[in-house]
Amino acid sequence: MTMIFGVPLAVFMGQLLLGLINGAFYALLSLGLAVIFGLLKIVNFAHGAMYMLGAFATLLGMRYLGINYWAALLLAPLLVGLLGMVIERLLLRRIGHLDHLYGLLLTFGLALIFEGTLVNFFGVSGARYPTPEALQGGYQLGFMFLPVYRAWVLLAALVVCLGTWFIIERTRLGAYLRAGTENPALMQSFGVNVPLLITLTYGFGVALAAFAGVLAAPLYPVSPTMGSNLLIVVFAVVVIGGMGSILGAILTGLGMGLIEGLTKVYYPEAANTVIFLVMILVLMLRPAGLFGKEA
Amino acid sequence: MATTQTLTPVMERQRRANMRRNAFYLLLIVVGLLAPFVAYPVFLMKVLTFALFACAFNLLLGYAGLLSFGHAAFLATGGYVTGYLLSSYPGLTPELGILVGTGAAVLLGIAFGALAIRRQGIYFAMVTLALAQLMFFFYIQAPFTGGEDGLHGVPRGNLFGLISLRSNLAMYYFVFAIFLIGFAIVQRAVHSPFGQVLKAIRENEPRAVSLGYNVDAYKLLAFVISAGLAGLAGSTKTIVFQLASLTDAHWHMSGEVILMTLLGGVGTLFGPVVGAGLVVSLQHMLAQSPLGNWINVILGLIFVICVLSFRSGIVGEITKLYRKNFK
């Protein structure tokens, strides 16, 4: 059997794939955070809760309404996105003029509320969501076994990430968005409805998180705390990538997933912490992050 | 005396204010000394340790404008180091254990502070959060922390080798003394030229820089003092409950101390004390009621309400009311 630095190739590739898939989730979540931070200047602490709500909407939709995976892929982000827009309209808007730290604190409170409520109804242990039929099984690639569902997650995450990047960097709507982050007052005077833009942006950002939640439902146990633990890692990813950068969020997300996967192969004890160590290193060398602009 | 005659009205007002403040402090100390005869000492000790923790946090947020989302790391470090030392070396007295635990938190504060003050605002919050998470995973895996179970049965020992802390009353007065020392340090730091510079940095950092202050040094010192006091709170807490566990290291703890400070009043001396008292009492009351499972939801609601409608916190709002109506 082929070995890579003393590790069988299949194991090596398997961990690399796992890392890449985790990286896809990091990328989707940090992308949403970057979009929201860009326009609202809010570190959305409720992002993990939104991811969790996406997964729960998928699970409960199947259990009680018979909604299948494919419909959930569309409906859950829509639902959570709407919830996000309501939150932005009713709560976040009121503190928009204050120090940005209040946004962080408010969304932290929201995260506690969502998480605590679901813990009361469903406990912390979590439930399984079956892999959709069309995506069961896997391919034998020769050097490794590739489960179809994992390949699908990777593909879907990449398509959505690149789509978002395209919209923001290459379309007129994206131009408005970017201009809105630079100078909202000027945009307003050009007749662009900036408040609406902000509401839609927040809705879109949390919908991305919910989309990641739907993708995660068949992979990980669906539990109320699934988001909060992931979120801290994503924050570290965001610091490494540089907060405002869209491309930075995507590339750093995937990259950190890979690094985590590699650490799992060679030094499993550090797998949980390697991203934080990278963060420290990056902070020492480039305080603005890999893709961030020096403020 | 001649000096009293030369007092200007401003100085006279200042002198009266100082007297009133000292009388107020004295009254609080008397209340603190009598409290264990009215309320359950262990509950009071819990309030005091969290109040010290919140005061430490508030020194950073309230006076330097730095929101640390990783203060649990210092609380846990103090707790684990003290707990480990006292469990493994039976001859060690509790005050030495606390000293070393606090020292460890100070060292960690220097390391984390040096990294975190490179960024500002939201970035600072996220960097401290991630660093604290690093410590959380370290404490899960480190051989001396008892992993998921934590350290149990940490002996309270004899204070200075003489006074047994096994009785809750003796323990209470020890904790009360520690709290007073910690509070005095915060009070002194705030009402000193150092504190004035911190406030200047909070209000307008570029201006403080242009005035020639070494802003980074001031921020780092504030961070280290705050970390040390948080470690002191953790060390003390470990001795009181004879337990050091992962709860103290979890980032929810960092959130809780923010809530305590916010609820009581950011940037007021007594706000964190009031906030800690309220949150601990609330948890205590809810734990025994049918609403016990809803603690996090209720804390979340308080968070949202605080941020939306009374950002100055209880003490801050009362001070505002007082200034408006009585001055």
Side-chain angles (χ1 to χ4, degrees):
Chain A
M1 202 168 195
T2 327
M3 307 283 269
I4 294 186
F5 300 118
V7 176
L9 182 66
V11 174
F12 182 83
M13 295 306 287
Q15 284 300 341
L16 223 55
L17 176 72
L18 275 183
L20 208 55
I21 287 177
N22 280 337
F25 285 112
Y26 298 158
L28 273 177
L29 290 175
S30 60
L31 178 61
L33 282 176
V35 170
I36 291 173
F37 183 77
L39 201 56
L40 284 79
K41 293 284 178 280
I42 279 178
V43 171
N44 188 29
F45 234 95
H47 215 64
M50 296 300 172
Y51 162 80
M52 177 269 289
L53 286 180
F56 260 97
T58 311
L59 180 77
L60 299 178
M62 178 197 67
R63 235 189 237 173
Y64 297 112
L65 302 171
I67 292 170
N68 73 8
Y69 176 82
W70 303 103
L73 215 46
L74 201 69
L75 287 177
L78 211 63
L79 206 68
V80 174
L82 279 174
L83 174 71
M85 288 194 242
V86 171
I87 289 173
E88 198 283 324
R89 266 287 146 107
L90 294 182
L91 304 174
L92 295 177
R93 178 152 302 179
R94 289 170 200 274
I95 56 161
H97 59 288
L98 297 169
D99 193 322
H100 307 316
L101 293 172
Y102 285 112
L104 187 159
L105 296 178
L106 181 64
T107 48
F108 175 63
L110 289 175
L112 283 180
I113 295 172
F114 286 128
E115 213 181 281
T117 307
L118 283 161
V119 165
N120 275 322
F121 286 115
F122 303 100
V124 285
S125 52
R128 281 261 155 219
Y129 186 88
T131 311
E133 257 171 58
L135 298 173
Q136 283 168 0
Y139 305 112
Q140 188 60 50
L141 298 181
F143 57 90
M144 68 172 291
F145 180 76
L146 176 67
V148 176
Y149 188 74
R150 288 174 193 269
W152 153 251
V153 166
L154 204 54
L155 187 75
L158 280 179
V159 168
V160 169
C161 280
L162 291 178
T164 307
W165 173 81
F166 184 82
I167 291 173
I168 292 175
E169 299 289 337
R170 293 283 183 273
T171 65
R172 182 166 287 262
L173 180 67
Y176 286 160
L177 260 173
R178 282 176 287 134
T181 61
E182 291 285 329
N183 193 338
L186 189 66
M187 282 309 282
Q188 196 110 39
S189 68
F190 277 137
V192 176
N193 189 343
V194 174
L196 180 69
L197 203 61
I198 288 179
T199 308
L200 289 175
T201 304
Y202 190 76
F204 178 71
V206 298
L208 276 179
F211 180 76
V214 184
L215 289 181
L219 275 182
Y220 308 115
V222 178
S223 91
T225 50
M226 66 191 284
S228 59
N229 294 324
L230 182 62
L231 188 67
I232 314 292
V233 180
V234 175
F235 280 158
V237 169
V238 162
V239 171
I240 295 170
M243 192 97 202
S245 166
I246 301 292
L247 203 60
I250 301 172
L251 293 180
T252 320
L254 290 170
M256 287 306 115
L258 275 180
I259 288 181
E260 204 179 43
L262 282 176
T263 318
K264 226 167 242 164
V265 178
Y266 291 105
Y267 191 62
E269 290 85 355
N272 279 328
T273 47
V274 67
I275 290 183
F276 301 115
L277 293 172
V278 172
M279 185 198 74
I280 293 174
L281 205 69
V282 169
L283 271 181
M284 290 204 286
L285 300 175
R286 275 185 66 98
L290 294 178
F291 296 84
K293 276 170 264 159
E294 201 67 63
Chain B
M1 284 206 359
T3 46
T4 40
Q5 284 164 350
T6 54
L7 278 180
T8 62
V10 175
M11 285 164 81
E12 178 63 23
R13 215 181 302 151
Q14 186 70 42
R15 196 183 61 90
R16 285 218 188 124
N18 279 342
M19 266 175 59
R20 232 178 296 143
R21 199 177 65 195
N22 289 342
F24 181 59
Y25 282 157
L26 205 64
L27 180 76
L28 285 182
I29 290 176
V30 172
V31 168
L33 288 173
L34 295 177
F37 298 102
V38 184
Y40 184 48
V42 175
F43 169 75
L44 291 175
M45 287 190 272
K46 191 173 181 187
V47 171
L48 284 179
T49 46
F50 275 107
L52 179 56
F53 185 30
C55 284
F57 171 80
N58 182 46
L59 175 64
L60 209 52
L61 176 62
Y63 296 95
L66 295 168
L67 173 66
S68 158
F69 217 117
H71 254 47
F74 306 117
L75 184 80
T77 298
Y80 273 126
V81 170
T82 304
Y84 172 73
L85 286 176
L86 294 181
S87 304
S88 338
Y89 303 97
L92 209 69
T93 51
E95 73 282 357
L96 287 177
I98 288 179
L99 219 56
V100 180
T102 308
V106 167
L107 290 181
L108 193 70
I110 294 173
F112 283 9
L115 280 167
I117 58 164
R118 298 165 70 92
R119 305 306 315 270
Q120 294 171 355
I122 289 167
Y123 296 89
F124 177 85
M126 295 177 56
V127 171
T128 47
L129 174 61
L131 288 170
Q133 204 61 8
L134 189 71
M135 291 314 289
F136 178 76
F137 285 117
F138 171 72
Y139 286 132
I140 285 187
Q141 293 175 1
F144 69 93
T145 58
E148 305 267 352
D149 303 326
L151 294 169
H152 290 269
V154 177
R156 280 187 183 175
N158 298 322
L159 186 62
F160 307 120
L162 297 170
I163 309 156
S164 167
L165 291 180
R166 216 167 297 156
S167 105
N168 278 334
L169 203 61
M171 188 74 224
Y172 172 81
Y173 285 116
F174 181 45
V175 174
F176 188 53
I178 288 177
F179 170 78
L180 287 182
I181 293 169
F183 188 84
I185 291 174
V186 173
Q187 203 265 359
R188 202 60 227 125
V190 169
H191 293 296
S192 69
F194 170 68
Q196 294 300 322
V197 178
L198 283 189
K199 281 181 214 165
I201 295 171
R202 179 189 68 189
E203 296 307 326
N204 191 337
E205 186 165 340
R207 190 193 287 158
V209 172
S210 71
L211 285 173
Y213 289 110
N214 185 350
V215 167
D216 281 353
Y218 278 93
K219 279 193 197 170
L220 183 61
L221 185 56
F223 194 89
V224 173
I225 296 175
S226 175
L229 290 176
L232 178 65
S235 296
T236 314
K237 187 166 167 288
T238 289
I239 295 186
V240 171
F241 295 100
Q242 308 185 278
L243 167 80
S245 75
L246 279 176
T247 323
D248 287 357
H250 199 273
W251 63 269
H252 271 167
M253 185 58 84
S254 303
E256 229 166 79
V257 75
I258 298 176
L259 178 63
M260 289 171 182
T261 312
L262 197 64
L263 177 63
V266 177
T268 63
L269 270 176
F270 284 101
V273 183
V274 173
L278 274 175
V279 171
V280 172
S281 312
L282 191 69
Q283 286 170 337
H284 191 75
M285 271 157 35
L286 288 177
Q288 290 151 351
S289 78
L291 282 173
N293 296 329
W294 292 91
I295 282 181
N296 274 339
V297 179
I298 292 168
L299 291 183
L301 275 174
I302 298 177
F303 238 113
V304 171
I305 294 167
C306 273
V307 171
L308 283 180
S309 42
F310 70 121
R311 279 177 290 276
S312 331
I314 294 169
V315 173
E317 297 288 346
I318 291 175
T319 317
K320 259 197 256 172
L321 267 179
Y322 175 77
R323 290 223 173 109
K324 209 160 68 186
N325 297 317
F326 297 101
K327 288 236 163 146

